[in-house]
Amino acid sequence: MTFNPLEQRGIPLDRQLRNWRELNVAPIDPDHCDPYTRCRIITMNGIEVEAIMFSHHMARRSPDVEVKRQLAGTRYIEAQQQRVVNWLLPGVSSVLETTIAYEQVAVDLTAWVARMEPDPYLKQAYQFGVLEDFDHLYRYANLYEMIEHRKADAIVDGLTEVMPGRPTKYHHRNPVDNVRDPYDKDEVNPLSKLHALTITSTEQQTMNFYMNTGPTYMEPIARQLYQEIGLIEEEHVTHYESLVDPGETWWEQLVNHEYNECYLYHSFMEQESDPRIKAIWELHLNMELEHLHIACDLMRRHDGRDPESVLAPQLPDVLTFEPNKAYLRELLDTQIDLTTLGAGYVREAHERFEKMQEDIHGGEEPPSERVMTQHDEMFGREYRLSTEGEHPDPALREK
């Protein structure tokens, strides 16, 4: 059944405010929830944070006080939505447990987007990035067993494999080689705009999470690993945000943000297994439909264009959290040795890459390698979860 959010009316904005009791939602049970419910929560938190920050940046650039007021009205409701979504995460989960869930989001969300992306250049960008998040999951899972003496199996629940991706130490690139070519806003498939905004938002959320939680650890190796991977997440945000056409007007970006929120809340409502969480997705969808209409009215008034000229006529097929094991194994087999050069990809190390490696590592093994050495010293093995057999790359098979 097709769903066109431009034809649907949601809850009027003046009826969307919730009181403290309504905002104080009960968290999920980490021991009994569907792991993909937790992934959907983490994803929507990133989407809402991006919507809030974009609205703030737009307001700072707007000289029209009435526009500022309209943005503030919608933004306050978005802030309430973000609190509800993020507060669904359980306080009993450790930072590392939440980190592993963040990386499961990065792996399965980016893999799904790569599978569905119609543009070959954009598809390659997602394929490249997902092999790095795949390796981050592996490194954090080993740190988790070292520090908390628990296995990541209970978090990813066999839905996502845990084994080496492109080794983290090779993710450090000269910043100029993290900038990709943007899509053409007038030619690209509207689905591609949603993909780029979604992955940028979730990677940005991960970058912020690691920047803020890394120094809360006492263990030196944990602090160092969060610092290293946090820097790589900054590279990833640069990588993905540069895919967006900078020629999009503020109004065009605003309607894209609101449309994307409708798309994701609708997608997650359609597949959510927890009835209580499903009701939150449905409520927020009905709020976002009205936010979209407000954004469309602003675009018509201030940009002189019809939003239908830049938005898809109906929502795409639902974005789905599901296992991507075979797809990821194919990428591990064919793309693990790639790096970037300018806006493209190469298999050979080049001068800028080698200089960055020398400067960042300073002739020593980085935290991502030392965590594996320390784990091996403690347990005599490394932690992996390989449900589909040996690693596709013989060089990375467990010895």
Side-chain angles (χ1 to χ4, degrees):
M1 184 172 133
T2 60
F3 183 85
N4 184 352
L6 297 174
E7 295 178 350
Q8 306 292 325
R9 297 304 304 202
I11 301 169
L13 191 66
D14 60 4
R15 290 173 45 205
Q16 292 189 15
L17 186 72
R18 285 174 279 184
N19 60 37
W20 295 118
R21 179 182 56 80
E22 294 171 294
L23 294 179
N24 189 30
V25 293
I28 58 173
D29 181 345
D31 296 323
H32 298 96
C33 76
D34 178 348
Y36 283 149
T37 292
R38 181 168 44 212
C39 287
R40 286 185 280 270
I41 291 167
I42 290 170
T43 299
M44 287 316 305
N45 182 61
I47 297 298
E48 289 291 1
V49 169
E50 163 63 23
I52 293 164
M53 296 313 300
F54 171 79
S55 177
H56 274 298
H57 287 304
M58 184 174 181
R60 293 168 193 173
R61 297 294 301 274
S62 176
D64 189 322
V65 68
E66 188 54 38
V67 168
K68 288 179 182 286
R69 288 170 177 161
Q70 288 190 283
L71 289 173
T74 303
R75 187 170 63 245
Y76 189 83
I77 301 301
E78 301 272 19
Q80 287 203 333
Q81 291 175 330
Q82 185 274 328
R83 272 50 167 194
V84 168
V85 171
N86 204 25
W87 264 244
L88 288 171
L89 292 178
V92 296
S93 292
S94 69
V95 170
L96 252 177
E97 287 168 333
T98 303
T99 294
I100 290 168
Y102 264 61
E103 294 296 349
Q104 185 176 27
V105 169
V107 169
D108 280 328
L109 179 64
T110 311
W112 189 91
V113 165
R115 287 168 47 206
M116 303 301 161
E117 174 55 53
D119 183 283
Y121 182 79
L122 301 176
K123 178 188 285 286
Q124 179 63 77
Y126 302 124
Q127 291 175 332
F128 179 81
V130 74
L131 291 188
E132 302 196 336
D133 289 316
F134 192 75
D135 197 70
H136 298 169
L137 174 60
Y138 162 68
R139 309 285 164 168
Y140 280 127
N142 278 270
L143 179 67
Y144 179 53
E145 188 173 29
M146 284 172 56
I147 291 179
E148 301 191 23
H149 299 281
R150 301 179 67 186
K151 297 182 186 297
D153 308 37
I155 302 172
V156 300
D157 198 28
L159 298 169
T160 311
E161 293 191 285
V162 181
M163 57 184 179
R166 181 179 301 114
T168 292
K169 67 180 179 180
Y170 298 131
H171 301 177
H172 304 279
R173 296 173 287 272
N174 187 293
V176 303
D177 295 314
N178 291 317
V179 179
R180 312 269 69 79
D181 289 335
Y183 59 67
D184 182 333
K185 66 185 182 68
D186 297 321
E187 301 294 334
V188 76
N189 188 310
L191 177 62
S192 296
K193 298 180 182 181
L194 305 183
H195 284 167
L197 184 52
T198 296
I199 301 301
T200 299
S201 301
T202 53
E203 290 288 335
Q204 176 179 257
Q205 171 188 219
T206 304
M207 176 188 71
N208 292 337
F209 183 65
Y210 295 169
M211 285 194 302
N212 287 294
T213 59
T216 64
Y217 277 95
M218 293 180 63
E219 296 86 354
I221 189 61
R223 296 170 65 89
Q224 294 160 14
L225 186 64
Y226 273 88
Q227 188 175 78
E228 180 183 6
I229 295 181
L231 282 170
I232 294 163
E233 298 300 345
E234 200 288 326
E235 293 186 286
H236 285 184
V237 176
T238 300
H239 174 78
Y240 292 123
E241 72 185 6
S242 59
L243 297 174
V244 177
D245 189 336
E248 291 177 352
T249 67
W250 283 99
W251 312 105
E252 202 169 340
Q253 292 178 63
L254 180 64
V255 298
N256 284 337
H257 275 78
E258 298 297 353
Y259 191 97
N260 194 44
E261 289 182 271
C262 291
Y263 170 49
L264 293 174
Y265 276 126
H266 178 264
S267 294
F268 292 169
M269 180 188 73
E270 289 291 298
Q271 63 188 275
E272 183 55 64
S273 58
D274 184 321
R276 182 175 69 91
I277 309 302
K278 182 185 180 78
I280 292 174
W281 303 150
E282 184 174 13
L283 173 63
H284 285 191
L285 170 62
N286 281 294
M287 292 177 168
E288 292 298 346
L289 289 169
E290 188 63 19
H291 299 176
L292 175 61
H293 282 284
I294 292 171
C296 288
D297 288 343
L298 286 169
M299 183 177 180
R300 293 186 189 98
R301 195 178 324 143
H302 296 279
D303 211 25
R305 289 188 295 160
D306 196 321
E308 283 84 352
S309 66
V310 300
L311 299 174
Q314 64 189 44
L315 290 181
D317 292 338
V318 295
L319 186 152
T320 306
F321 270 103
E322 62 187 13
N324 295 276
K325 298 176 185 180
Y327 185 72
L328 286 161
R329 282 176 167 268
E330 178 186 347
L331 296 180
L332 289 167
D333 189 39
T334 58
Q335 297 196 24
I336 201 166
D337 58 345
L338 289 182
T339 189
T340 57
L341 177 61
Y345 306 89
V346 295
R347 296 192 184 276
E348 301 80 21
H350 52 85
E351 185 177 351
R352 274 201 305 263
F353 176 79
E354 291 178 338
K355 180 68 164 59
M356 185 68 178
Q357 289 281 300
E358 179 183 339
D359 290 346
I360 193 76
H361 297 318
E364 299 180 2
E365 288 283 28
S368 56
E369 291 296 317
R370 282 186 280 114
V371 72
M372 303 308 301
T373 300
Q374 292 183 26
H375 186 281
D376 186 63
E377 290 171 352
M378 289 180 68
F379 298 98
R381 54 163 176 79
E382 60 184 67
Y383 171 80
R384 295 191 183 202
L385 181 61
S386 304
T387 62
E388 309 303 302
E390 290 188 305
H391 197 287
D393 186 340
L396 293 175
R397 289 175 184 165
E398 198 165 9
K399 298 180 177 59

